[in-house]
Amino acid sequence: MKQRRFQWMAVVGLLITLIPQAWAEEPVKTAKAAKLVPVVYHIEMMEVSDQTWAKLQKSPGPSKNKVEGKLLQSADLMAVTGVDAVTLLGHKVPITYYDPRATQFQVQFVDIGFKVDVVCRSVEANVFSVTSRHEFSTMTGVRTEGEGAQTTSYPETLVFISATKIPSMSIGETVVLGKATGPSVARQLAKLGRPVTSKNIIATLRLERP
Amino acid sequence: MTLSIFGFQSRSATVLLALLLLSFQAVTAQQGFYEVEYEFVKTSAQPAKLLLDANEWRQYVSSDKANLLDSGTLTSTFGEECLNMSGLKVPIPYRDPRVDGYQVQYIDEGFKLDCTATPHENGMIKVVTRVGKSSLSPDAASAYGQDTFLCDTTILLRRGQTAILTTTKGLVTKQYLSKVYPGTTFGENETVLLAITIR
């Protein structure tokens, strides 16, 4: 009888020890929010001929056709739907400033170079709405504020920005985000050591599966 | 030989032992450890897919097509934010008129990754990550300017898979990556990949 009581006490003791252990770590919750779909954004900046540009203008919007041109820069970025994705290749300039809301000094960065900030949302199966901000910038000079020890320098940049929203786009489709023409973009490319033969510099986005 | 636990014999003891093992398994499973590896690779022939089996990726990285520039590994627990950094903490002094003196803020330079992984549906793992490599590059605008390659994204992966988070190729790559990786040359037709593997 004594042995039986000891046995049950041992079992109860064991359970009392193990059950709290099993629940000690907060159970890892599985995300059950909106369905996340993996996508790849393929961004290209290229130089196109007048003929190609004229052809692209005839059918604006997403297309299955590949855009032919001289590639200047490209990037792929993998992400899921509904979440912002950013890639930056370039230069970051820190600027310290006083933030009155936080009542302290903060460091803010100015980004220069090739930057893509993009997000897409599922509209229906394999169809997405895409909000994209593509930026290509080069530093041309510096502005200074203040005097003596309180001098702060701010970079001056030449930019080619295409910030746009495509309401409906499918996997495999390419869209022209923007085009830049003129001395500004020519100067930017010259700074990267590329003489411009054509004035049509375009930025494109293609949606792909990983 | 008979099995005996707390005086329980044979069958009862086996059941008790099984219960014990199951309880320990439950505890360790909830810990949800994972290892994450980041790699920067230079290549002139990038893989056809951006999502690969980790072994496939390993073969690619060890082939003569790929040149490993940088890598980092981190072990963590699901749901917890983790950080891995190797590099410099660079002080930026600034004049604070409130104290009529100088204060310092720090910026990070080098290889840095932030990562939070959580289990998702169907055995997938949701990875929220920010990873970057930077190098101090003073210029006219700032003595603390940095050349950088970074990616901030969220992806879904299975254990044992590799995802190429971002790739870059072209004029800007040639211009800046040779500063991020001094001593390494980058051609306009060479691609730099940033990959992540979960184990």
Side-chain angles (χ1 to χ4, degrees), chain B residues 9-62:
Chain B
Q9 299 295 317
S10 56
R11 193 180 297 171
S12 314
T14 313
V15 172
L16 203 58
L17 189 65
L19 274 172
L20 254 169
L21 287 172
L22 281 171
S23 308
F24 280 118
Q25 195 195 13
V27 171
T28 48
Q30 280 178 12
Q31 299 287 336
F33 289 111
Y34 69 92
E35 186 190 81
V36 61
E37 183 174 14
Y38 290 80
E39 288 158 296
F40 286 88
V41 169
K42 180 177 99 160
T43 181
S44 47
Q46 82 173 79
K49 299 176 291 177
L50 294 189
L51 201 56
L52 300 96
D53 177 78
N55 294 329
E56 229 179 310
W57 169 253
R58 194 54 40 219
Q59 274 179 6
Y60 172 77
V61 172
S62 45

Side-chain angles (χ1 to χ4, degrees), chain B:
Chain B
M1 198 178 90
T2 51
L3 185 63
S4 167
I5 297 177
F6 301 134
F8 284 100
Q9 299 295 317
S10 56
R11 193 180 297 171
S12 314
T14 313
V15 172
L16 203 58
L17 189 65
L19 274 172
L20 254 169
L21 287 172
L22 281 171
S23 308
F24 280 118
Q25 195 195 13
V27 171
T28 48
Q30 280 178 12
Q31 299 287 336
F33 289 111
Y34 69 92
E35 186 190 81
V36 61
E37 183 174 14
Y38 290 80
E39 288 158 296
F40 286 88
V41 169
K42 180 177 99 160
T43 181
S44 47
Q46 82 173 79
K49 299 176 291 177
L50 294 189
L51 201 56
L52 300 96
D53 177 78
N55 294 329
E56 229 179 310
W57 169 253
R58 194 54 40 219
Q59 274 179 6
Y60 172 77
V61 172
S62 45
S63 75
D64 54 4
K65 290 178 196 162
N67 178 5
L68 184 65
L69 299 169
D70 231 322
S71 69
T73 305
L74 193 63
T75 306
S76 189
T77 312
F78 284 128
E80 300 292 332
E81 194 179 338
C82 60
L83 167 75
N84 190 4
M85 189 202 155
S86 60
L88 283 173
K89 284 267 182 194
V90 185
I92 304 185
Y94 61 89
R95 185 164 177 82
D96 187 345
R98 295 169 305 173
V99 295
D100 193 24
Y102 281 88
Q103 307 266 29
V104 168
Q105 284 262 12
Y106 280 83
I107 56 168
D108 300 331
E109 185 259 346
F111 177 79
K112 186 178 177 184
L113 69 92
D114 288 284
C115 174
T116 306
T118 45
H120 195 67
E121 295 162 345
N122 306 322
M124 302 296 281
I125 299 167
K126 181 182 170 190
V127 184
V128 181
T129 187
R130 181 183 172 87
V131 56
K133 167 81 181 176
S134 60
S135 177
L136 268 186
S137 164
D139 56 46
S142 167
Y144 309 98
Q146 294 182 329
D147 290 306
T148 190
F149 177 34
L150 68 85
C151 176
D152 196 340
T153 190
T154 301
I155 57 159
L156 292 177
L157 266 182
R158 287 185 195 283
R159 274 189 205 268
Q161 269 192 325
T162 299
I164 297 171
L165 299 179
T166 186
T167 73
T168 178
K169 181 172 100 171
L171 281 178
V172 186
T173 308
K174 185 184 169 190
Q175 162 105 356
Y176 287 103
L177 276 172
S178 52
K179 294 181 188 171
V180 174
Y181 288 100
T184 309
T185 52
F186 294 86
E188 265 182 50
N189 293 320
E190 283 181 312
T191 307
V192 175
L193 318 170
L194 167 53
I196 165 185
T197 303
I198 290 270
R199 295 187 193 94

Side-chain angles (χ1 to χ4, degrees), chain A residues 58-209:
Chain A
K58 280 182 190 164
S59 55
S63 159
K64 289 277 181 197
N65 298 331
K66 202 174 171 232
V67 181
E68 297 293 339
K70 197 171 185 178
L71 185 71
L72 300 172
Q73 179 65 33
S74 73
D76 290 301
L77 182 56
M78 189 189 288
V80 288
T81 49
V83 186
D84 260 301
V86 179
T87 185
L88 165 71
L89 174 63
H91 193 66
K92 284 171 92 77
V93 180
I95 292 169
T96 49
Y97 69 100
Y98 181 71
D99 183 350
R101 289 167 304 176
T103 64
Q104 63 178 15
F105 281 79
Q106 310 267 19
V107 176
Q108 192 182 18
F109 287 90
V110 178
D111 297 333
I112 300 161
F114 188 78
K115 186 178 179 182
V116 179
D117 187 342
V118 62
V119 61
C120 76
R121 288 184 170 77
S122 293
V123 175
E124 55 189 78
N126 289 325
V127 181
F128 306 89
S129 73
V130 183
T131 307
S132 162
R133 189 178 193 281
H134 158 267
E135 182 177 327
F136 167 52
S137 54
T138 45
M139 190 160 73
T140 53
V142 179
R143 293 255 172 126
T144 53
E145 291 261 329
E147 285 179 3
Q150 292 190 46
T151 305
T152 310
S153 301
Y154 301 96
E156 193 180 69
T157 54
L158 268 173
V159 296
F160 167 28
I161 296 173
S162 309
T164 183
K165 183 170 180 176
I166 313 297
S168 170
M169 191 172 173
S170 303
I171 297 289
E173 284 189 327
T174 303
V175 68
V176 177
L177 298 172
K179 177 202 166 224
T181 302
S184 172
V185 75
R187 206 171 138 203
Q188 274 186 270
L189 292 167
K191 274 191 149 291
L192 293 177
R194 172 67 66 98
V196 184
T197 49
S198 158
K199 289 173 185 166
N200 308 308
I201 308 301
I202 63 167
T204 64
L205 168 78
R206 186 167 75 239
L207 273 188
E208 294 172 354
R209 283 262 182 253

